Amino acid sequence: MTAAENVCYTLINVPGDTEPPSEVSLKADLEKGEIKAKTEALKKVIIMILNGEKLPGLLMTIIRFVLPLQDHTIKKLLLVFWEIVPKTTPDGKLLQEMILVCDAYRKDLQHPNEFIRGSTLRFLCKLKEPELLEPLMPAIRACLEHRHSYVRRNAVLAIYTIYRNFENLIPDAPELIHDFLVNEKDASCKRNAFMMLIHADQDRALDYLSTCIDQVHTFGDILQLVIVELIYKVCHANPSERARFIRCIYNLLQSSSPAVRYEAAGTLVTLSSAPTAIKAAAQCYIDLIIKESDNNVKLIVLDRLIELKEHPTHERVLQDLVMDILRVLTTPDLEVRKKTLQLALDLVSSRNVEELVIVLKKEVIKTNNVTEHEDTDKYRQLLVRTLHSCSVRFPDMAANVIPVLMEFLSDTNEAAAAADVLEFVREAIQRFDNLRPLIIEKMLEVFHAIKTVKIYRGALWILAEYCSTKDDIQSVMTEVRRSLGEIPIVENEIKKESGEVKSEEEVNVAPAQRLVTEMGTYVTQSALSSSRPSKKEEDRPPLRGFLLDGDFYVAASLATTLTKIALRYVAIVQDKKRQNSFVAEAMLIMATVLHLGKSSLPKKPITDDDVDRISLCLRVLSDCPPLMSDIFNRECRRSLSHMLAARLEEEKLSQKKESEKRNVMVHADDPISFMQLTAKNEMTSKEDQFQLSLLAAMGNTQRKEATDPLASKLNKVTQLTGFSDPVYAEAYVHVNQYDIVLDVLVVNQTSDTLQNCTLELATLGDLKLVEKPSPLTLAPHDFANIKANVKVASTENGIIFGNIVYDVSGAASDRNCVVLSDIHIDIMDYIQPASCTDAEFRQMWAEFEWENKVTVNTNITDLNEYLQHILSSTNMKCLTPEKALSGFCGFMAANLYARSIFGEDALANVSIEKPIHLGPEAPVSGHIRIRAKSQGMALSLGDKINLSQKKTVS
C-alpha cells in the first residue's frame, strides 16, 4: 500500500487527566442507563479500545442493548465502534456475533432517513471483511436509485472501495456506474462516479467523456476538475490521444471556476508546447492573478508564469504579453508587485521596451499622488530600479525616463527612492554623452529643492564632475551661493539673531481668552506669540541648514566641488581677471564655511577630517599645481568609469550563467526517443504532476540533492535510549517546511507485556507539539512506530526532549520511566541562500538590533577555503563579488546573506586574516559578525558556525 493510500479515517481527542472506567460500570451503563448515559459509556468504550484494551465481554451487551436504538448520535458512534472493534477470533475467523451486526447494517441501508443510509455507506468503505460485505451487496446497489443525492454519492464511493478491495463481490461495478453516470443529474454524484471510472475502468470514462465532450463547459466545477485530471493522465500515458482532448482543455480555460482554469492552464502547458497553447495558458494565468483577491493565490500563479518563462521556447511568446503582465501592478501587495516587475524586466525586449517604460512612468507619477499606503515608498523604489535596468539595457529609453525621475530628488521622506534616482542619473551621465546637457539642465532646475543631505552631496558631485561649459559652471556657482545664503555666514547669523531680539514690532500679545474650568470657575489665558515663530528655520537656505545642524561632511563635498569647477573655469576662460574673481569667490565660500565650523553656532563642531579636506582644497586653488588638477578633474571620473565597467561585466557574467543554465544541451551521442517506438512503461520523460503535488502536500517528496535516499534518511536517525534500556527507542526526524514529523521506533526489550506505553514529548524554542501520541500495549520483544507532529513558527535551534513511561503487566509497582536523549532541530533545514543589493544589505545591517560576534577558531589555513566552508555549512550566499575576493593579501572581508522560509533575514560579515608571521601552516583567524531581526536567529546561526568551523579530517 502506498503512502497516499494509507489513510487514517478517525481521529479522536482523548483527555489525558481522566481515569479509565471499569468494565463492570460500563456494562451497567450500557444495559440500564438513559440515552445520554449510554452515549457517554459508548464513547469511553471507543477510547479504551483505541488505547489497546480488548473488552470482549462488552460486544454482546452492545449488540443487545445499544444496537436496536434509533438515536442518531448513538448510530454514528456505533459506526466508529464497529470500525475499530476486533471482528475476528485469534485464528483469523469472523466472530459469530458479527452476523447480528451485519443484519443491523442491512436494516440501516434500507432506513427511511437519508443521513443514516449515507453514513452507513461511508462506513462500509472502511470495512475490510468480505464476509460482512457480501450479504449487503443488494442493499448497496439499491441505494444507487435513492431519491437523495447524499445517499447516491456515498453508494458510489462504497461500490468503488468494495470493487477495488474485493472485485469478486461486484464484478460488474464499472458497467453499473457507467449506466448510473449517464442518467445522473447531480454534480457531486457525477463527480464520484466519474472518479471511480477513471481509476477502475479508464476506457469507459473516456467513452463517457467522448459522448459529452461538447457539454463539458456546462458541468459543475468539481466534475470539471476530475475531467482535467483524466485528460492529463490519459495524454501522459498515451500522447497520441492529445489531439482528441486538447480542444476540451481549451474550452475549460473559459470555465467560471478559478480552480478549473488554473488546472486547465497547467495541463495545457504540459500537453502542448505550441505558441498558441502557451499564450492561452499564460493569458489565463494573468487573468487569474488580476481577478483573485487572495495574495497567496496571486504569488502561486505568478510563480507558474515565472516557470513558463524559464523555458527558452516559451519566453518569446510571453514577451508579447508583457503589457498584460503589467496589469498585475494594480495589486497593492508589495511582494506581488516585486515579482511582477522582475518578470516584466526579464521579458523586456526592443519590441516592447517603449510601452513598458510608458507604463512604468505612469506608475511612478501615480505614486507621487498616493501617500497613504505604507508601501508606496518601497514600490517607488522598485519602479525606479526597474526603469534604471531598462535604460541600461536600452540606452534610447534613458532620455524619456530621466526628466520624470529627477523630480523625485526633492523628496524628503523618500530618501531611498531619491538615492536610487541619483545612482541612475550618475550612471546615465557617465555612459551616455548625448544626455549630459539634458541631465545638467534638469539637475540645476531641481537642485535648490533638494532637502536631504545625502542626495545633496551626490547632486553636488554630479554637477562638479560633468559641468564642462562656462555657462554651466557659472550656474553651479550661482546655485551654491543661493543654497548657502548670505556670506560670511557667521556675521550674518549673529546679525540675524540680534535683529530678531530687537524687532519688537513683530511680537504681539494675543487677546486674552476667558475659559471655564471643570469646577465652574473662570480663568483667563493669554499667550505671547510671534508673527514669525520659526522664520530662522523656514527661510534658511538648504545648505546653510545642513551646516548649522553640524553636518560638515557636506562642506568637504562642497569644497571638492568648488575646486573642480574653479580648476575647469581657469582652463576654459582666458581672462585672468575673471579667473581670479571666480577662484577668489570659491575660496571665500570655503573660508566662511571653515569659520562657521570653528564657531559656536552649529549644533556640532566641524571634524578634523573635514577641516583637512577644506584646507587641502584651499591650498590647491591658491597654487593650482598640474598634478592636483589632473587628480580632481580626471582621476575621479576614471574611478567611476572603472566601477561601472566592473559592475556591468559582473551583470553580464551572471546573465550568461543564467542563460547557460536554461539552455538545454543536447550531446551528439544522445539517444533519440521516438514516441511511437517507446513502450508505455518507459515513458518517464515527464513526471505525473498530480502525483507529485499529492506527495508534496503529504511531505513525502525526496530531496533532489540526496543521491542515495536511504543514506540521507539514515543520517537523520537519532538514537534516543541506550541498547541496555528496557525500552529501546530511535527517531527519524523528517523536516517538511513548517512542520517536523518524528517517526519514533519503540522496541520492548523485556519478556514482559508493557501496557499504556506512552511517548511523552516537550519542546524548547519556537516549536509546538500538535498532538499527544496515544498509548500503546507492547507484547514481549515487540516493536511499534509512533508518529508525532511538531509545528515550527520561526528559525531558531529547537530542542525536543521527553521520556517513555509504561506499566508492566501484573506488576504492582509504580509506572516505569525511560528518559530520552534530546533531539536537536537543525536550523539549516529552514535557511536558504538569497541575494540583495549592497544598499539593502547596509540598510538591514543598520536596522537589525541583534548581533552575535563569533571568533574564528579553525584548523583551515587558506582564507578562500575557510569562506567556502562557512558558505556550505550555513547555506548562506556570498554577496561580495569573486573578483574582489580573488588574489592573496593576507586579509579577506566578505558579506553573506540568507533568508529563512519564514521570511526572516540573516546577515553576516566575515573579517578574516592569515597570520603570515606565524608561518604557512598557521590557521585562519578573525571574526564573523552575524546580525538578524530576532535573537533566536542570530544565536542559532552563531552556534551553527561554532560547531562547523573546524574541518573534519577525512
Side-chain angles (χ1 to χ4, degrees):
M1 186 179 262
T2 64
E5 293 170 329
N6 193 6
V7 181
C8 168
Y9 293 112
T10 311
L11 282 173
I12 296 173
N13 177 45
V14 186
D17 53 350
T18 53
E19 280 292 317
S22 67
E23 194 172 331
V24 177
S25 65
L26 286 172
K27 199 168 186 177
D29 283 346
L30 290 168
E31 284 180 10
K32 297 169 186 170
E34 296 292 319
I35 293 286
K36 195 173 180 183
K38 288 186 178 183
T39 306
E40 288 303 316
L42 193 53
K43 283 181 182 176
K44 286 173 186 171
V45 169
I46 290 169
I47 289 168
M48 288 173 76
I49 291 175
L50 282 172
N51 285 346
E53 300 287 343
K54 296 287 186 281
L55 305 179
L58 291 179
L59 185 61
M60 207 58 212
T61 307
I62 289 172
I63 291 172
R64 285 176 58 204
F65 297 102
V66 184
L67 196 57
L69 297 175
Q70 294 302 310
D71 183 72
H72 285 198
T73 308
I74 283 186
K75 283 200 174 289
K76 187 70 181 168
L77 285 171
L78 276 172
L79 293 178
V80 177
F81 173 75
W82 296 126
E83 181 190 338
I84 61 169
V85 77
K87 302 174 189 68
T88 55
T89 56
D91 58 356
K93 289 183 179 176
L94 195 72
L95 291 169
Q96 294 294 321
E97 293 90 335
M98 296 313 290
I99 296 167
L100 300 169
V101 178
C102 185
D103 188 53
Y105 293 156
R106 193 176 51 74
K107 284 177 182 169
D108 280 347
L109 286 174
Q110 294 165 349
H111 200 281
N113 184 290
E114 61 273 4
F115 168 75
I116 290 172
R117 273 204 198 199
S119 52
T120 308
L121 284 163
R122 281 178 73 107
F123 158 71
L124 293 180
C125 296
K126 306 167 193 176
L127 272 187
K128 296 287 180 279
E129 288 77 24
E131 300 95 327
L132 285 176
L133 290 167
E134 194 173 1
L136 304 174
M137 293 316 298
I140 295 171
R141 282 171 178 261
C143 286
L144 282 175
E145 294 164 17
H146 193 269
R147 60 185 170 76
H148 205 284
S149 61
Y150 177 70
V151 177
R152 295 200 302 275
R153 71 166 175 262
N154 283 311
V156 172
L157 279 180
I159 289 171
Y160 170 42
T161 332
I162 294 165
Y163 178 76
R164 192 177 60 188
N165 296 330
F166 316 105
E167 193 177 331
N168 58 311
L169 291 181
I170 182 162
D172 62 334
E175 189 183 340
L176 180 70
I177 295 299
H178 181 267
D179 296 341
F180 168 80
L181 183 59
V182 171
N183 301 316
E184 181 56 54
K185 297 287 182 285
D186 182 74
S188 60
C189 298
K190 284 171 90 167
R191 182 247 179 215
N192 284 3
F194 195 73
M195 180 68 92
M196 178 194 158
L197 287 182
I198 289 175
H199 294 288
D201 190 345
Q202 210 172 73
D203 292 337
R204 283 185 194 274
L206 287 173
D207 289 344
Y208 171 74
L209 183 57
S210 302
T211 58
C212 61
I213 201 157
D214 295 328
Q215 288 94 44
V216 164
H217 62 278
T218 62
F219 293 167
D221 55 349
I222 52 173
L223 184 54
Q224 286 179 342
L225 281 170
V226 181
I227 289 170
V228 171
E229 185 181 343
L230 171 68
I231 292 173
Y232 176 83
K233 284 184 173 174
V234 169
C235 298
H236 192 262
N238 188 6
S240 58
E241 295 280 357
R242 287 179 185 178
R244 183 177 166 195
F245 293 113
I246 206 155
R247 174 55 49 200
C248 178
I249 292 291
Y250 268 110
N251 291 339
L252 287 175
L253 288 177
Q254 312 303 322
S255 169
S256 58
S257 163
V260 174
R261 293 210 301 278
Y262 174 75
E263 291 294 350
T267 303
L268 185 60
V269 170
T270 58
L271 298 186
S272 171
S273 55
T276 48
I278 301 303
K279 190 171 184 179
Q283 195 72 59
C284 179
Y285 282 148
I286 293 165
D287 289 342
L288 281 173
I289 299 168
I290 292 164
K291 288 175 183 171
E292 281 301 305
S293 56
D294 190 337
N295 285 332
N296 293 322
V297 174
K298 288 177 190 283
L299 289 168
I300 289 165
V301 183
L302 259 176
D303 284 338
R304 281 302 183 98
L305 269 179
I306 292 164
E307 278 173 32
L308 271 185
K309 178 214 63 176
E310 296 301 322
H311 201 287
T313 55
H314 299 166
E315 191 169 1
R316 189 165 176 81
V317 178
L318 287 174
Q319 282 176 352
D320 298 333
L321 296 172
V322 166
M323 299 314 293
D324 290 325
I325 291 169
L326 288 176
R327 286 161 57 205
V328 179
L329 292 176
T330 52
T331 307
D333 184 67
L334 188 68
E335 194 64 32
V336 174
R337 285 171 159 177
K338 193 175 183 178
K339 278 195 174 184
T340 306
L341 285 172
Q342 187 56 52
L343 178 61
L345 194 57
D346 291 341
L347 294 172
V348 74
S349 66
S350 52
R351 291 179 297 141
N352 54 27
V353 66
E354 202 169 326
E355 294 171 315
L356 174 76
V357 166
I358 290 168
V359 171
L360 294 183
K361 273 165 62 180
K362 283 181 183 170
E363 285 293 315
V364 170
I365 292 162
K366 253 192 248 173
T367 62
N368 203 21
N369 305 326
V370 181
T371 50
E372 68 271 7
H373 201 277
E374 57 182 11
D375 286 334
T376 304
D377 307 345
K378 289 177 184 173
Y379 178 44
R380 185 180 301 149
Q381 198 174 353
L382 283 174
L383 289 168
V384 169
R385 285 178 186 170
T386 311
L387 284 167
H388 182 171
S389 303
C390 283
S391 303
V392 170
R393 281 166 61 182
F394 304 96
D396 299 345
M397 293 296 111
N400 299 333
V401 172
I402 287 168
V404 176
L405 294 188
M406 285 180 75
E407 298 291 338
F408 293 104
L409 288 175
S410 58
D411 288 350
T412 49
N413 57 336
E414 285 88 354
D420 280 317
V421 171
L422 200 68
E423 197 179 317
F424 173 26
V425 169
R426 186 185 67 183
E427 188 168 346
I429 204 168
Q430 170 64 22
R431 293 185 58 188
F432 313 131
D433 293 346
N434 57 321
L435 293 179
R436 281 182 190 172
L438 170 72
I439 294 173
I440 294 291
E441 182 193 340
K442 196 73 186 165
M443 185 68 86
L444 286 167
E445 275 180 34
V446 298
F447 186 74
H448 69 279
I450 295 174
K451 306 284 192 304
T452 317
V453 66
K454 187 181 171 188
I455 308 303
Y456 195 91
R457 286 199 312 266
L460 271 178
W461 189 90
I462 289 171
L463 287 172
E465 198 62 50
Y466 296 100
C467 284
S468 50
T469 65
K470 177 186 154 190
D471 291 342
D472 284 346
I473 292 170
Q474 284 284 11
S475 301
V476 173
M477 181 58 93
T478 309
E479 284 297 336
V480 167
R481 286 295 300 267
R482 180 180 170 189
S483 185
L484 201 57
E486 227 175 294
I487 56 174
I489 300 172
V490 176
E491 284 81 346
N492 186 254
E493 283 294 315
I494 291 169
K495 278 180 189 173
K496 269 191 184 175
E497 283 194 10
S498 58
E500 279 196 9
V501 170
K502 287 178 186 174
S503 55
E504 289 171 9
E505 72 278 2
E506 290 169 2
V507 176
N508 59 1
V509 178
Q513 290 178 286
R514 293 193 82 184
L515 303 172
V516 182
T517 66
E518 287 178 4
M519 296 172 70
T521 55
Y522 287 105
V523 292
T524 304
Q525 177 184 311
S526 64
L528 193 68
S529 64
S530 170
S531 59
R532 295 184 297 171
S534 57
K535 182 167 188 338
K536 272 201 303 181
E537 302 294 331
E538 285 175 7
D539 293 352
R540 193 182 279 165
L543 183 53
R544 180 177 289 213
F546 300 146
L547 295 174
L548 287 168
D549 286 339
D551 195 335
F552 281 96
Y553 185 35
V554 75
S557 182
L558 174 67
T560 311
T561 302
L562 292 171
T563 307
K564 283 181 185 176
I565 61 172
L567 290 172
R568 208 169 291 139
Y569 190 85
V570 168
I572 295 169
V573 179
Q574 302 303 320
D575 188 351
K576 279 280 179 192
K577 190 177 174 186
R578 283 188 174 182
Q579 283 181 4
N580 291 341
S581 169
F582 194 90
V583 171
E585 189 176 0
M587 292 174 80
L588 173 63
I589 291 171
M590 290 186 222
T592 188
V593 169
L594 261 180
H595 185 200
L596 174 67
K598 300 284 187 185
S599 72
S600 59
L601 287 174
K603 291 178 182 174
K604 288 184 275 184
I606 191 167
T607 62
D608 292 342
D609 286 347
D610 296 333
V611 171
D612 289 349
R613 169 51 70 114
I614 297 170
S615 305
L616 171 70
C617 291
L618 281 168
R619 181 73 181 272
V620 169
L621 285 183
S622 63
D623 297 347
C624 289
L627 173 65
M628 296 307 286
S629 178
D630 186 58
I631 289 170
F632 270 94
N633 279 331
R634 288 194 184 87
E635 291 300 323
C636 291
R637 197 177 302 185
R638 203 171 292 157
S639 298
L640 174 66
S641 178
H642 285 324
M643 187 195 81
L644 292 176
R647 189 188 290 175
L648 198 64
E649 194 180 329
E650 201 182 309
E651 281 176 12
K652 279 182 180 172
L653 197 70
S654 65
Q655 280 176 3
K656 190 180 175 187
K657 279 182 184 173
E658 281 293 315
S659 61
E660 279 174 5
K661 266 187 206 171
R662 285 161 53 189
N663 285 343
V664 182
M665 297 293 286
V666 181
H667 296 285
D669 57 349
D670 275 0
I672 300 170
S673 59
F674 293 96
M675 208 170 279
Q676 288 81 353
L677 305 176
T678 311
K680 280 190 180 181
N681 57 354
E682 290 174 16
M683 297 198 62
T684 54
S685 57
K686 284 187 178 178
E687 296 127 315
D688 187 336
Q689 297 297 323
F690 284 91
Q691 195 63 25
L692 278 180
S693 60
L694 179 62
L695 288 173
M698 295 172 65
N700 289 341
T701 47
Q702 286 291 339
R703 295 201 172 180
K704 287 181 183 174
E705 63 265 23
T707 48
D708 180 4
L710 194 63
S712 67
K713 263 198 164 189
L714 290 174
N715 287 339
K716 294 200 169 183
V717 171
T718 309
Q719 187 177 335
L720 300 179
T721 63
F723 290 113
S724 58
D725 282 315
V727 176
Y728 172 75
E730 62 182 30
Y732 165 60
V733 183
H734 177 76
V735 177
N736 181 35
Q737 274 214 322
Y738 301 107
D739 61 346
I740 298 164
V741 179
L742 294 181
D743 191 349
V744 184
L745 171 69
V746 181
V747 182
N748 178 5
Q749 301 197 105
T750 66
S751 303
D752 300 314
T753 299
L754 305 185
Q755 293 181 330
N756 292 329
C757 183
T758 311
L759 175 68
E760 294 181 346
L761 295 174
T763 57
L764 191 69
D766 221 337
L767 303 174
K768 186 183 175 188
L769 194 66
V770 177
E771 54 185 329
K772 186 181 171 187
S774 53
L776 299 168
T777 299
L778 285 176
H781 305 291
D782 193 7
F783 63 90
N785 280 63
I786 303 173
K787 287 200 175 184
N789 274 345
V790 178
K791 284 283 173 202
V792 188
S794 71
T795 315
E796 60 177 80
N797 283 340
I799 301 172
I800 301 172
F801 50 92
N803 47 44
I804 292 174
V805 292
Y806 59 90
D807 297 327
V808 178
S809 180
S813 62
D814 292 334
R815 299 199 81 184
N816 299 282
C817 176
V818 179
V819 179
L820 306 178
S821 302
D822 299 345
I823 302 171
H824 291 262
I825 303 304
D826 192 358
I827 185 178
M828 289 307 105
D829 289 312
Y830 309 110
I831 288 184
Q832 297 160 346
S835 57
C836 66
T837 63
D838 288 346
E840 286 170 340
F841 185 91
R842 282 195 293 273
Q843 188 182 348
M844 285 190 282
W845 189 266
E847 285 174 3
F848 290 174
E849 53 199 22
W850 292 103
E851 180 174 302
N852 189 6
K853 191 174 181 181
V854 179
T855 305
V856 173
N857 176 21
T858 183
N859 51 3
I860 299 172
T861 56
D862 182 70
L863 296 175
N864 256 313
E865 190 188 343
Y866 179 76
L867 179 65
Q868 293 307 319
H869 179 64
I870 289 296
L871 290 175
S872 62
S873 54
T874 58
N875 280 358
M876 297 189 92
K877 182 178 180 178
C878 183
L879 299 179
T880 310
E882 281 180 37
K883 197 171 275 185
L885 298 172
S886 58
F888 180 78
C889 65
F891 178 79
M892 180 188 280
N895 289 336
L896 316 181
Y897 177 60
R899 206 148 197 244
S900 76
I901 58 170
F902 306 102
E904 298 165 315
D905 300 294
L907 315 173
N909 173 257
V910 180
S911 296
I912 48 177
E913 65 174 334
K914 168 85 173 169
I916 301 165
H917 61 282
L918 296 177
E921 293 303 312
V924 171
S925 64
H927 290 93
I928 300 171
R929 289 164 72 201
I930 302 154
R931 285 202 181 181
K933 208 171 229 176
S934 63
Q935 184 186 18
M937 183 85 155
L939 292 175
S940 303
L941 208 50
D943 292 345
K944 182 68 186 174
I945 290 173
N946 266 328
L947 288 170
S948 58
Q949 278 198 70
K950 294 195 176 178
K951 196 176 183 186
T952 51
V953 182
S954 54

